[in-house]
Amino acid sequence: MKILVINCGSSSIKYELFNMEEHTVLTSGVLERIGESNSKLKHKWRTVGSRLDEKIYEQKIKDHQQAFDLIHRAMRESKVMKDLSELAAVGHRVVHGGEAFKQPALIDDTVLEGVRKVTPLAPLHNPANLTGIEIAMKIMPNIPHVAVFDTAFHQTIPEYAFRYALPEDLYQSHGVRRYGFHGTSHYYVAKQAAHHLNESLHSLNLITLHLGNGASAAAIRQGECMDTSMGLTPLEGLIMGTRSGDIDPAIPFYLAKQTHLSFADIDNLLNKQSGLKGICGYNDMREIHLQAQNGNSSAQLAIEMYCYRIKKYLGAYCAVLGRVDAIVFTAGIGENADFIREKVCDGLDGLGICLDTEKNQWLGSDCTDISTAGSPVKILVVPTDEEWEIAQQTLSLVVSG
Ligand code: AMP
């Protein structure tokens, strides 16, 4: 059974085609710079003997329709499928599902309307997700399309944790509350952690740390999310590549008064010029590490601040959960940066979090336990795979009808 997963952004489209029985990727690709003169599609596919082939298409792609046409062509040329009717379903990543979508949804007009309704909450992402869905449904009209929401997993967060201390009307009339993001990743790594620990997810309390370019933490009690660090938007919480994470909410007003920056400027400042980039000028953790090792004090401070913020969330979520069975590190930084994991866990023995520094440096490619043998709280590194999770959720919805 084949399932295609599509992640359609405003200027890029990522896709992966899975063979569900074998858990293999048959084709994957990234098309970048839609709307620019130097658009580029990197298309990969598995050939006989499981070799991975790659072809780069470089041409001007003026819009998403042309982008989908090119991806369709690349799929035909690489002969991964005889035709699109071989697909069992298509899973679409949708960033914001608001309160309406607590589960994946089989896409019909009502679902499209529901996604449209919450667009003001994700003005950069949902319109692109919708465009992708609409074009894909036109190209593949007889195949079920499923929307899988980044926010869905966090819909179990109780009201006392998702509400802001603001007038109630802002919540009732404008939906101002914590939604959280990266839900598909948090859920996937939580399940993988449970599998690794040979326990049911419903018997475990976990803190999952998705540390990529965007970063968020989640407190998960017996399989249900209790709290997460991102809020109404993905700006809140941990320090990220270019996003500030938590700041005093009065800072934008202070800046507006002192510098006469416009709201748009401040929005750009907090989302694109802050975080690690704001502190030291770099947003790539590999570069920051190199700089720090070479004595760059801003880079050293960036790492210090980054880990301190994660530590604060770990402490808070230990209190939220009462008992923690495992902490899970995932995504680009979480999976690869041993120095970050070491710094985050340093001095947390009192909370039962004891890192084995040797295991921390030598990881396998799968889920790895990097805590000491006697550590009351397990520390795991789990590679995330949001596309596979979307494919699985799509499959179960289609199979269950
Ligand atoms: P993601 O958004 O999950 O792709 O993660 C991107 C982040 O992971 C970037 O900050 C990268 O610098 C970081 N990253 C990837 N590989 C490594 C590595 N080996 N060491 C440190 N950071 C890494």
Side-chain angles (χ1 to χ4, degrees):
M1 190 174 282
K2 291 175 184 144
I3 292 203
L4 177 66
V5 173
I6 297 176
N7 180 355
C8 183
S10 56
S11 64
S12 70
I13 300 175
K14 294 188 191 132
Y15 56 92
E16 271 188 56
L17 174 67
F18 292 97
N19 177 324
M20 298 306 286
E21 288 89 358
E22 294 172 9
H23 188 168
T24 46
V25 179
L26 301 170
T27 332
S28 66
V30 188
L31 198 161
E32 289 173 309
R33 300 194 284 265
I34 298 171
E36 293 177 40
S37 57
N38 56 347
S39 320
K40 178 169 150 186
L41 167 64
K42 195 191 263 190
H43 177 75
K44 292 184 187 169
W45 70 97
R46 208 164 281 283
T47 53
V48 192
S50 273
R51 219 185 66 222
L52 212 57
D53 264 346
E54 180 180 302
K55 182 167 176 185
I56 311 268
Y57 297 76
E58 281 176 300
Q59 62 189 76
K60 181 175 164 64
I61 299 287
K62 84 170 169 15
D63 56 20
H64 284 78
Q65 180 65 56
Q66 276 193 357
F68 272 92
D69 290 344
L70 180 61
I71 292 169
H72 192 184
R73 189 181 118 205
M75 287 215 184
R76 275 198 313 271
E77 286 179 358
S78 55
K79 299 194 175 80
V80 211
M81 283 188 292
K82 279 198 203 81
D83 73 73
L84 291 171
S85 64
E86 280 185 45
L87 283 177
V90 183
H92 296 266
R93 178 184 183 212
V94 179
V95 167
H96 218 305
E99 289 188 333
F101 298 105
K102 300 183 191 329
Q103 302 287 338
L106 194 60
I107 304 175
D108 57 14
D109 288 345
T110 318
V111 169
L112 285 175
E113 193 44 40
V115 176
R116 243 175 245 125
K117 252 195 190 149
V118 293
T119 290
L121 294 169
L124 297 179
H125 296 100
N126 274 29
N129 298 157
L130 276 165
T131 304
I133 292 171
E134 282 162 354
I135 298 174
M137 286 179 87
K138 261 193 221 139
I139 299 174
M140 300 167 273
N142 301 317
I143 294 165
H145 290 253
V146 172
V148 178
F149 301 91
D150 265 20
T151 47
F153 178 60
H154 302 304
Q155 279 295 305
T156 49
I157 296 176
E159 187 166 2
Y160 59 78
F162 75 63
R163 284 282 296 276
Y164 293 112
L166 293 168
E168 190 187 355
D169 181 53
L170 293 181
Y171 168 55
Q172 299 296 355
S173 307
H174 299 284
V176 176
R177 53 157 286 182
R178 174 181 312 286
Y179 291 97
F181 300 87
H182 295 142
T184 312
S185 175
H186 286 291
Y187 180 48
Y188 174 78
V189 297
K191 283 195 299 183
Q192 291 296 106
H195 181 73
H196 182 84
L197 297 171
N198 219 1
E199 299 275 356
S200 147
L201 180 57
H202 300 287
S203 68
L204 290 174
N205 288 356
L206 304 169
I207 300 174
T208 48
L209 298 169
H210 178 108
L211 308 177
N213 229 333
S216 65
I220 303 170
R221 177 181 292 139
Q222 297 168 358
E224 295 202 335
C225 187
M226 291 289 117
D227 205 349
T228 191
S229 57
M230 283 178 166
L232 174 77
T233 74
L235 182 58
E236 191 179 344
L238 303 179
I239 293 174
M240 306 175 222
T242 62
R243 288 177 231 154
S244 63
D246 297 336
I247 56 165
D248 181 337
I251 290 175
F253 311 114
Y254 179 78
L255 288 179
K257 274 194 207 128
Q258 296 295 317
T259 65
H260 304 293
L261 286 172
S262 67
F263 279 133
D265 293 336
I266 296 174
D267 188 56
N268 179 276
L269 179 89
L270 297 179
N271 278 291
K272 305 257 168 73
Q273 311 299 333
S274 299
L276 295 168
K277 185 179 177 191
I279 305 164
C280 69
Y282 304 96
N283 64 315
D284 189 304
M285 190 51 92
R286 283 164 291 203
E287 181 64 31
I288 297 169
H289 189 217
L290 216 62
Q291 292 286 333
Q293 283 174 321
N294 290 335
N296 177 332
S297 58
S298 309
Q300 288 164 353
L301 178 65
I303 291 176
E304 211 61 63
M305 289 172 67
Y306 184 84
C307 295
Y308 178 68
R309 180 78 55 87
I310 298 171
K311 234 180 221 223
K312 286 213 288 190
Y313 270 92
L314 274 183
Y317 288 173
C318 282
V320 165
L321 296 172
R323 182 204 84 218
V324 180
D325 297 299
I327 290 167
V328 180
F329 285 91
T330 193
I333 296 172
E335 291 167 32
N336 297 299
D338 53 359
F339 58 98
I340 295 291
R341 294 192 299 261
E342 183 167 347
K343 215 173 205 2
V344 166
C345 296
D346 185 42
L348 298 186
D349 309 46
L351 296 176
I353 301 165
C354 310
L355 183 85
D356 182 319
T357 47
E358 260 184 47
K359 286 190 204 161
N360 183 37
Q361 288 172 30
W362 303 109
L363 299 185
S365 56
D366 281 340
C367 196
T368 311
D369 185 342
I370 55 168
S371 50
T372 60
S375 179
V377 178
K378 296 288 166 212
I379 309 168
L380 305 176
V381 180
V382 181
T384 193
D385 193 343
E386 289 165 280
E387 286 73 21
W388 174 244
E389 180 58 34
I390 292 173
Q392 280 187 304
Q393 293 191 19
T394 299
L395 178 64
S396 21
L397 190 71
V398 170
V399 169
S400 71

